[in-house]
Amino acid sequence: MDWLDVLIIVAVAVGAFALWLVGTALLIWGERRVVAKMQSRVGPNRLGPAGLMQTLADGAKLFFKEDIAPANADRWVYLAAPMVSAVVALVTFAVIPYGGTFTIGDRQISLQVWDPDVGLLWVLAMGSIGVYGIVLAGWSSGSKYPLLGGVRSSAQMISYELAMGLAVAAVFIYTGSLRASDIVANQAGTLFGPIPAWHVIPMAPAFVLFFISAVAETQRPPFDLPEAEGELVGGFNTEYSGAKFAMIFLAEFMNVITMSAVLVTMFLGGPNGPLFGPDIVRAVLPTIYFVVKVGIFLFVFIWLRATLPRLRYDRLMDLGWKVMLPFALLWVMATGFSVVLRETTERATVIRAAAIGAAVAAVLFFLAPLFSRRASEPGGGGGDGGARPLDDPRPGGEALPERAGDRPSTDRPTEEVGV
Amino acid sequence: MTDYYQAYGTVIALVIAGIALVVVAFTLNRLISPKRAYGAKLTTYESGMDPVGQGWSQTHIRYYLFAFMFVVFDVETLFVFPWATVLGNTEGPQGFMLGVMLVFLFFVSITLPYEYKKGVLKWV
């Protein structure tokens, strides 16, 4: 470790920084142009070629805007929230390899700022901390709409974080490592014929789960309820202005790029691709592959925004808890089973374990109704097949604590907008 | 051990650089922007009307039951990660490891249909 090593790390970090910042500027411009095209509008086209400079102009403009903190706001938290969002967004991408490895002199340089053992868990951890930025921004504004936006954001996080974590866990089982570079290396070569060994093929369900969770985690449409313009003015960022607003937006778009990059790293081989030509081309090609793959995902994110209407809140929670979470759990079990079958020499042991597991599962499944008090009552549930709602006025209803604020009647409105 | 400190030194440097960038941005904004705040500007935005009541209004957090479940399942996910890392590349009794984990996952997962049946997973 001498000064040259430090210099290399700094250069790689600055490279990643530049890639992500330029990417953010291009993403904001691209989003406005693409959505405009899809809606038969023109979009920003004045500043620079095809309006490319528009983002820079908008960013610069925000710095000249007055920095207003509403009198009602909690001053310090109000200041800290955009800092949390921005700092988290700026450090998350450190673990993502954005290019290949090449040699200069006698030193091996890999285009990845930080390759820790915890690997992609870093991305999950930072994603969870990033939610604090939004919740605190909503709370500290001292205003109703931002508060609702913050509350929604945390509800969304607790619903989709699980499916995301389990989808990632399935990839970890398959790879046997949490390290980003190992995951990329595991996808090198071909599966069969000309088809690359990208995880998207064997791990297709995990890919779908992760993609949906990624859209929800970055709060992009159709999951953009925390900042639903039609309902909450601007959601958690309503009261922000000037550089603080710029930072919140920077963080949001950077997170979109980071999530696309994580998708590419985990499921589409990261910077892998066919290499050819002289050394200099070989050094640059992986970065180009990476940028192109990320660009495709960014386009899909924009496309979703232009196409899909916003989900209703109860449907959003239903999707997370009733569809994605059970599916993710099943997929983790299935992946574990297939990996052990692939690796182990004692197939009989595995099959015996599976049989015991299935037997335990079956026994529990049939015993489960015994634990329900209602099943032992004559004429109680069981007959009607489904569960009665919590606040069922009929005698013998469950003794779970009633939720405050629930209506006493059983005909529940479904169109109510909750938080 | 030096590798360890070296790696985490990198990320601490990154965090410090990030904080510095944000602080510079905020300071620049303060320096070059006008400051003409007056009462109406500092009020809470409520679509042009005078704000009604307190900003921190009483909201019924409907998802507190979901939050309990989130803790349960999140801890479960945490248990899955180390198992996931060693399962594929260990010399140990993989079949046994798999069986134990499947039983654990099953015990935690069985709560989900139970809660569904109890009507806890209902939003409104």
Side-chain angles (χ1 to χ4, degrees):
Chain A
M1 186 78 178
D2 55 3
W3 63 272
L4 205 57
D5 286 315
V6 176
L7 200 69
I8 288 171
I9 293 177
V10 169
V12 171
V14 168
F17 223 65
L19 197 64
W20 254 258
L21 280 178
V22 171
T24 308
L26 285 178
L27 173 61
I28 297 174
W29 168 81
E31 168 147 23
R32 295 175 67 181
R33 290 288 287 186
V34 171
V35 171
K37 280 273 182 296
M38 287 177 176
Q39 296 170 345
S40 303
R41 295 186 284 116
V42 181
N45 66 344
R46 294 279 145 175
L47 227 58
L52 261 172
M53 296 285 119
Q54 187 66 44
T55 314
L56 284 183
D58 287 344
K61 184 193 76 176
L62 279 173
F63 279 85
F64 289 100
K65 290 288 176 189
E66 186 173 352
D67 177 28
I68 306 168
N72 231 350
D74 185 312
R75 187 160 287 283
W76 288 106
V77 182
Y78 181 80
L79 176 70
M83 284 185 85
V84 172
S85 297
V87 171
V88 163
L90 287 171
V91 298
T92 311
F93 58 75
V95 295
I96 293 165
Y98 64 96
T101 328
F102 50 88
T103 332
I104 295 179
D106 56 342
R107 276 167 211 278
Q108 190 111 26
I109 299 171
S110 84
L111 287 178
Q112 182 184 14
V113 183
W114 184 41
D115 196 15
D117 291 329
V118 293
L120 290 168
L121 280 189
W122 172 256
V123 174
L124 288 183
M126 286 295 125
S128 304
I129 293 178
V131 176
Y132 278 97
I134 293 168
V135 174
L136 290 179
W139 178 82
S140 65
S141 297
S143 175
K144 295 181 193 83
Y145 299 120
L147 182 66
L148 288 178
V151 167
R152 282 181 172 196
S153 164
S154 59
Q156 199 160 312
M157 193 277 282
I158 62 173
S159 302
Y160 285 85
E161 186 99 325
L162 296 168
M164 181 181 242
L166 288 171
V168 174
V171 175
F172 291 160
I173 297 171
Y174 192 73
T175 314
S177 171
L178 278 63
R179 216 180 255 275
S181 53
D182 288 347
I183 292 173
V184 169
N186 198 39
Q187 301 177 66
T190 53
L191 202 60
F192 46 83
I195 297 169
W198 295 348
H199 286 157
V200 66
I201 297 160
M203 291 273 112
F207 171 74
V208 173
L209 287 169
F210 190 89
F211 181 71
I212 297 173
S213 316
V215 178
E217 283 272 300
T218 50
Q219 282 150 10
R220 295 279 305 174
F223 299 107
D224 63 336
L225 283 111
E227 47 190 295
E229 312 89 59
E231 303 158 25
L232 300 181
V233 191
F236 62 93
N237 58 29
T238 306
E239 298 288 352
Y240 278 90
S241 60
K244 292 185 187 122
F245 184 74
M247 284 300 140
I248 288 177
F249 247 73
L250 178 77
E252 232 178 276
F253 280 95
M254 269 198 157
N255 283 337
V256 174
I257 299 182
T258 307
M259 274 302 162
S260 305
V262 173
L263 269 162
V264 167
T265 307
M266 285 205 312
F267 297 104
L268 286 174
N272 286 345
L275 294 179
F276 50 83
D279 279 352
I280 181 79
V281 178
R282 278 171 184 276
V284 175
L285 265 180
T287 308
I288 293 175
Y289 289 134
F290 180 76
V291 169
V292 168
K293 288 173 188 170
V294 171
I296 292 170
F297 274 108
L298 294 181
F299 178 77
V300 174
F301 271 94
I302 296 170
W303 190 10
L304 283 178
R305 173 181 166 175
T307 311
L308 294 174
R310 195 175 292 133
L311 280 176
R312 212 174 65 196
Y313 216 100
D314 54 332
R315 298 224 173 129
L316 176 133
M317 299 292 276
D318 276 359
L319 179 68
W321 284 99
K322 294 180 188 166
V323 181
M324 301 207 358
L325 179 58
F327 200 56
L329 279 167
L330 284 178
W331 184 248
V332 165
M333 296 183 199
T335 311
F337 196 67
S338 73
V339 163
V340 171
L341 267 190
R342 188 187 66 193
E343 300 279 331
T344 192
T345 47
E346 305 168 71
R347 276 166 187 258
T349 323
V350 179
I351 290 166
R352 199 163 61 227
I356 293 170
V360 171
V363 167
L364 281 172
F365 184 77
F366 287 112
L367 286 183
L370 292 184
F371 297 115
S372 163
R373 230 175 307 161
R374 203 189 308 142
S376 56
E377 284 170 23
D384 52 6
R388 273 187 264 158
L390 279 182
D391 48 2
D392 195 331
R394 281 182 290 170
E398 292 303 330
L400 272 184
E402 271 195 23
R403 286 176 293 176
D406 268 1
R407 276 167 195 72
S409 67
T410 44
D411 51 333
R412 293 142 180 273
T414 47
E415 288 298 335
E416 188 173 321
V417 177
V419 286
Chain B
M1 212 54 188
T2 37
D3 274 358
Y4 182 84
Y5 287 120
Q6 200 172 305
Y8 283 87
T10 310
V11 82
I12 288 170
L14 265 179
V15 172
I16 291 170
I19 293 174
L21 189 94
V22 179
V23 169
V24 165
F26 286 1
T27 317
L28 191 70
N29 183 214
R30 280 196 99 77
L31 289 180
I32 62 179
S33 66
K35 275 182 256 327
R36 279 186 289 277
Y38 49 87
K41 216 186 233 177
L42 293 178
T43 53
T44 304
Y45 179 78
E46 219 152 274
S47 311
M49 318 289 280
D50 284 335
V52 179
Q54 278 288 308
W56 285 288
S57 51
Q58 294 266 319
T59 317
H60 177 219
I61 310 279
R62 286 183 187 276
Y63 63 83
Y64 71 99
L65 285 172
F66 287 83
F68 290 142
M69 283 165 57
F70 170 71
V71 173
V72 171
F73 281 99
D74 212 31
V75 172
E76 180 203 355
T77 314
L78 278 185
F79 282 127
V80 169
F81 282 129
W83 170 77
T85 318
V86 294
L87 182 69
N89 45 20
T90 182
E91 296 299 315
Q94 286 174 318
F96 176 71
M97 282 169 64
L98 179 70
V100 167
M101 198 61 186
L102 286 184
V103 169
F104 169 69
L105 280 179
F106 179 79
F107 266 113
V108 184
S109 316
I110 198 73
T111 59
L112 203 60
Y114 180 71
E115 279 153 351
Y116 185 50
K117 208 173 168 234
K118 285 273 185 189
V120 175
L121 292 179
K122 220 171 232 153
W123 185 248
V124 182

